[in-house]
Amino acid sequence: MITLGFANVHADTIDNDEGDNGGEAKPSVGCQQPHAKPLDSELGSVGFLKNIAEHPESIRAVAKRLLTKAVAATESGEQPQCHAVCVGALRSEVVYRVEPTVFVAESEQQAMCLTLEDQTKLKPLHFGARDFASIEKLNDWLMEFSQGRGEDGKSLYAQCGGNCSPRYTFRIAQNDGKLHVNADVLCGQARDKTSDLYAVSTAIEWRCSAN
C-alpha cells in the first residue's frame, strides 16, 4: 500500500517593489521571507495495480510528471528580484506536497493519531538531506519511503504507527547536477481507505540570503 502525504505549509509572503515599466509592480523577495509561486495540482491514485503499471492516473506517474515540469520551471520563466537590502544570491527550490483527500471522522480516529497530529504540526518528522541523480531515482525513493521500505521508510513507520497517515512536504533544490531533497512529515489522522486518491501539488519557492 502506498501512503504518501504532506505537511501543509501556507502564508508565504510576497513583497512588491515598483518597477520602471509603467509603474507595474515586480515581485521581490525579502531576506527572511520567501516568495512562492504555485505550479500544478492533480489527483493521483495509490491503487496497487495502477502504480505497478505506471498508469497515467497513478501517483507514481503524477509525481514524475509534476516534478519534471517543476524542476524545469526553476530554470525558466520570470524570477523575482532580491530586495535591495539583501546581499546574498537568489535561491530556488521545488516544494512538492501530497496528502489524502478523505480522512476518517475525527470521532473514529485513534487517540495516538490525534496526539501525533498535534505533535508533528508543531515539530514535523524530518528526513534529509538526500541527493538523487535524476527525477526517476527521486521518484523511486518517494515510492519506497511511502511504503515503509528502505532505511528512511522503516524509520518513518517506526515513528508513525497504528493506522495514522503521514502527509509530506518535500523540498527539492538543484545542486551540482543533483536533486537535493529534504522531507518534513506530519503524522496524524488516518485517511479513509475507501478513497485511493491523493492531492498532489507543486510550487516554486525563492529565497534571498542576507549574507
Side-chain angles (χ1 to χ4, degrees), residues 54-125:
E54 295 192 33
H55 187 281
E57 296 176 358
S58 69
I59 201 163
R60 175 183 282 273
V62 170
K64 182 179 180 180
R65 187 162 60 245
L66 267 61
L67 288 171
T68 298
K69 183 178 178 180
V71 168
T74 62
E75 299 179 342
S76 62
E78 183 179 359
Q79 298 183 357
Q81 300 174 342
C82 287
H83 194 276
V85 299
C86 302
V87 295
L90 179 69
R91 296 173 289 111
S92 65
E93 61 185 4
V94 172
V95 182
Y96 173 60
R97 299 177 175 125
V98 190
E99 70 174 354
T101 56
V102 185
F103 293 88
V104 173
E106 188 165 344
S107 60
E108 300 176 13
Q109 293 284 344
Q110 293 182 2
M112 177 177 67
C113 297
L114 296 175
T115 298
L116 285 170
E117 176 99 13
D118 291 338
Q119 291 176 347
T120 57
K121 276 183 179 178
L122 296 175
K123 186 178 180 181
L125 306 176

Side-chain angles (χ1 to χ4, degrees), residues 19-202:
D20 56 6
N21 55 342
E24 182 180 349
K26 292 182 178 180
S28 65
V29 184
C31 300
Q32 303 298 324
Q33 298 169 325
H35 170 92
K37 178 183 178 182
L39 293 177
D40 296 294
S41 60
E42 290 191 32
L43 296 178
S45 169
V46 296
F48 177 76
L49 293 179
K50 282 187 175 180
N51 281 275
I52 288 295
E54 295 192 33
H55 187 281
E57 296 176 358
S58 69
I59 201 163
R60 175 183 282 273
V62 170
K64 182 179 180 180
R65 187 162 60 245
L66 267 61
L67 288 171
T68 298
K69 183 178 178 180
V71 168
T74 62
E75 299 179 342
S76 62
E78 183 179 359
Q79 298 183 357
Q81 300 174 342
C82 287
H83 194 276
V85 299
C86 302
V87 295
L90 179 69
R91 296 173 289 111
S92 65
E93 61 185 4
V94 172
V95 182
Y96 173 60
R97 299 177 175 125
V98 190
E99 70 174 354
T101 56
V102 185
F103 293 88
V104 173
E106 188 165 344
S107 60
E108 300 176 13
Q109 293 284 344
Q110 293 182 2
M112 177 177 67
C113 297
L114 296 175
T115 298
L116 285 170
E117 176 99 13
D118 291 338
Q119 291 176 347
T120 57
K121 276 183 179 178
L122 296 175
K123 186 178 180 181
L125 306 176
H126 182 75
F127 296 83
R130 303 290 182 265
D131 291 320
F132 301 94
S134 65
I135 294 291
E136 289 75 14
K137 294 294 185 182
L138 167 59
N139 208 15
D140 288 342
W141 177 79
L142 292 174
M143 298 300 109
E144 183 178 76
F145 186 30
S146 69
Q147 295 175 70
R149 295 188 287 112
E151 182 178 347
D152 289 327
K154 290 176 181 178
S155 176
L156 168 63
Y157 276 77
Q159 300 174 76
C160 186
N163 69 345
C164 309
S165 294
R167 287 168 270 168
Y168 294 18
T169 296
F170 298 96
R171 295 184 176 274
I172 306 162
Q174 297 188 76
N175 186 17
D176 296 328
K178 294 184 178 181
L179 299 171
H180 187 74
V181 182
N182 286 278
D184 288 314
V185 182
L186 190 160
C187 173
Q189 296 191 36
R191 71 181 182 94
D192 185 340
K193 294 182 181 179
T194 60
S195 172
D196 69 355
L197 295 178
Y198 276 62
V200 182
S201 68
T202 52

